Amino acid sequence: MIALITGSAGLIGSQSALFFHNKGYDVIGIDNDMRAYFFGKDASTDDSKKALEEDLAQYTHYDIDIRNLNDLEPIFKQYGEKIKIIIHTAAQPSHDWAMKEPITDFTVNAVGTMNLLELTRLNCPKATFIFTSTNKVYGDRPNFSYYDKAPDLEYKSMMIHEEEKRYEAYFTGKQLASIDEKMSIDNCKHSIFGASKVAADVMVQEYGKYFGMNTAVFRGGCLTGPNHAGAELHGFLSYLVKCIITDKHYTIFGYKGKQVRDNIHSWDLVNMFWEFHAAPRQGEVYNAGGGRDNSTSILEAIDSINRIAGTNWTNFSLSEDNRVGDHIWYISDLDKFKDHYPNWDITIDLEETLKQMVEFEKAKNA
Ligand SMILES: NC(=O)c1ccc[n+]([C@@H]2O[C@H](COP(=O)([O-])OP(=O)(O)OC[C@H]3O[C@@H](n4cnc5c(N)ncnc54)[C@H](O)[C@@H]3O)[C@@H](O)[C@H]2O)c1
């Protein structure tokens, strides 16, 4: 029984490796530490790879690039039907970085995914295929609070309001909003990154709907946890914790620091993969974040981290320029997944996640 995990040294990949190893799977990890190329050596996932190799007896690492079909093919051929699940997390994950090298972004995110889907179809078609997509596939559509622009009826009445420390979105009648899978992905600005993920996201759905394979797309909100190699361009909570603990400067890009994200701990996300794998469906799409209870603005996150860490850090500045295509407010609606998989719920809330991240960062800098 093999779990093949791409991006196995990254945040979600390494959590997946631990999780499935604990469940008795042999784990094949594929990761070429391209994160260091994207974000610099501080964001390298090499230590995480070494830890997996040391800690997990049944872990085998392949230092190869998912863009290279010829390198991937022998692995799929060698293990064939023994591969029961593919968890595909390797990616160029930052929408700011993508504009620097759109072709690199597209080949990693879209072509890499296509390589893995096709090798799965040819060598282990009954396996579960999990793809970590992103809420950026909805582009900046959640920002359209003047919702006559929205074609989706359900979101026509959604309005974003500015509150003291955060933006908040309501449907008519003051009902608090969240974003479900019915939101359109068309006719909005996705960023280059969002668009390359859309290409992969739709292809993963297609391999389920067209070929009948057990594929699922998880459109992540903010995925987080202590094992995130946070960098300025990716992994905002992890990077913010790092800046607060080491008293480094942090720039907030746009929206006065009131932009809202929902945050899910990597363990809870991987537990979604597990539930799906136990009763797979074909070509499903799920929004996967922490939901309203685990949402925070950047200003609120700074308050929480200061409280948990016992610091009084204020070393940040507000830039007027928001990131292109960035969300003002985004909270995932988790009802569809909970309806399909009633055993699943969030088990690690944002407070506990932040505690783990603060402890991890303090230990690293002790
Ligand atoms: N972290 C988030 O907030 C977030 C939010 C939404 C979606 N996602 C998606 O979830 C997935 C996992 O995110 P993460 O935070 O664990 O990312 P991560 O950067 O921590 O891990 C990704 C890993 O993939 C590896 N990698 C990159 N390109 C590769 C290539 N060409 N070949 C082989 N390995 C390669 C990197 O070295 C890295 O170790 C990504 O697909 C990302 O787009 C993440």
Side-chain angles (χ1 to χ4, degrees):
M1 246 177 15
I2 289 174
L4 186 149
I5 299 168
T6 73
S8 54
L11 170 72
I12 303 304
S14 60
Q15 185 76 72
S16 302
L18 280 173
F19 190 107
F20 279 80
H21 196 270
N22 281 345
K23 296 281 187 193
Y25 284 70
D26 288 3
V27 175
I28 304 290
I30 295 177
D31 198 310
N32 65 350
D33 197 17
M34 205 160 169
R35 191 171 170 91
Y37 173 73
F38 299 139
F39 309 123
K41 66 174 174 19
D42 278 359
S44 164
T45 50
D46 197 47
D47 285 349
S48 163
K49 176 196 90 172
K50 286 181 189 138
L52 291 173
E53 287 181 320
E54 274 168 32
D55 299 345
L56 306 185
Q58 303 305 326
Y59 177 84
T60 310
H61 193 88
Y62 290 87
D63 192 344
I64 61 177
D65 191 323
I66 58 161
R67 291 174 293 179
N68 195 336
L69 188 63
N70 292 334
D71 284 351
L72 289 171
E73 195 171 19
I75 301 174
F76 277 82
K77 280 204 177 332
Q78 182 182 344
Y79 298 107
E81 301 268 358
K82 285 189 202 145
I83 303 172
K84 302 299 178 201
I85 180 166
I86 292 96
I87 302 176
H88 172 36
T89 78
Q92 189 301 104
S94 155
H95 68 261
D96 293 316
W97 193 91
M99 68 179 177
K100 294 191 203 172
E101 291 186 33
I103 292 180
T104 308
D105 176 75
F106 193 84
T107 48
V108 173
N109 288 350
V111 178
T113 303
M114 185 67 197
N115 288 342
L116 291 156
L117 281 168
E118 186 56 5
L119 288 171
T120 302
R121 184 174 80 85
L122 296 176
N123 296 286
C124 44
K126 293 195 192 108
T128 303
F129 190 102
I130 303 284
F131 175 59
T132 44
S133 186
T134 167
N135 60 16
K136 299 293 183 309
V137 301
Y138 299 116
D140 60 356
R141 180 166 296 289
N143 294 355
F144 296 175
S145 55
Y146 30 90
Y147 246 67
D148 49 334
K149 273 198 185 171
D152 4 36
L153 272 180
E154 200 176 336
Y155 289 100
K156 262 199 190 301
S157 66
M158 194 176 95
M159 291 291 295
I160 293 181
H161 293 265
E162 184 174 346
E163 301 186 347
E164 194 197 335
K165 290 219 168 178
R166 62 153 61 195
Y167 286 101
E168 193 50 273
Y170 300 91
F171 293 126
T172 321
K174 280 272 171 195
Q175 188 200 337
L176 288 163
S178 53
I179 304 292
D180 72 14
E181 298 81 357
K182 292 196 286 300
M183 176 163 270
S184 170
I185 61 171
D186 289 330
N187 200 21
C188 51
K189 192 187 280 181
H190 296 86
S191 81
I192 297 301
F193 160 74
S196 67
K197 291 294 262 193
V198 165
D201 179 310
V202 172
M203 196 55 94
V204 173
Q205 293 181 55
E206 208 54 37
Y207 268 65
K209 302 288 184 209
Y210 191 91
F211 291 122
M213 287 165 51
N214 297 321
T215 67
V217 167
F218 288 83
R219 293 181 174 161
C222 277
L223 317 179
T224 195
N227 198 25
H228 212 184
E232 186 173 21
L233 295 186
H234 183 244
F236 104 90
L237 268 186
S238 163
Y239 188 65
L240 184 59
V241 169
K242 192 184 275 183
C243 289
I244 294 180
I245 300 301
T246 58
D247 195 18
K248 240 171 104 168
H249 182 259
Y250 185 93
T251 306
I252 299 174
F253 293 98
Y255 308 141
K256 306 178 200 171
K258 297 185 180 185
Q259 52 270 58
V260 168
R261 307 280 178 264
D262 67 328
N263 303 277
I264 184 168
H265 191 286
S266 50
W267 196 92
D268 280 326
L269 180 70
V270 176
N271 205 21
M272 283 176 131
F273 305 164
W274 175 250
E275 291 292 329
F276 180 86
H277 181 49
R281 306 163 77 105
Q282 291 76 45
E284 277 295 355
V285 174
Y286 300 107
N287 288 352
R292 169 162 298 284
D293 291 347
N294 299 297
S295 68
T296 181
S297 70
I298 301 187
L299 295 181
E300 290 169 342
I302 290 171
D303 288 348
S304 304
I305 298 165
N306 269 331
R307 173 174 48 74
I308 290 167
T311 47
N312 200 13
W313 178 90
T314 51
N315 189 6
F316 63 92
S317 55
L318 288 163
S319 154
E320 302 229 317
D321 304 324
N322 61 280
R323 295 183 150 134
V324 180
D326 204 12
H327 293 147
I328 299 173
W329 169 97
Y330 187 94
I331 293 180
S332 314
D333 187 319
L334 303 171
D335 285 356
K336 180 179 174 189
F337 190 81
K338 287 182 178 175
D339 181 46
H340 287 184
Y341 299 97
N343 284 337
W344 181 88
D345 208 342
I346 296 280
T347 61
I348 305 176
D349 64 13
L350 181 58
E351 177 78 8
E352 173 58 26
T353 305
L354 288 174
K355 280 185 188 153
Q356 289 182 11
M357 292 168 93
V358 165
E359 270 167 35
F360 180 82
E361 204 54 47
K362 278 189 170 171
K364 224 167 77 183
N365 291 284

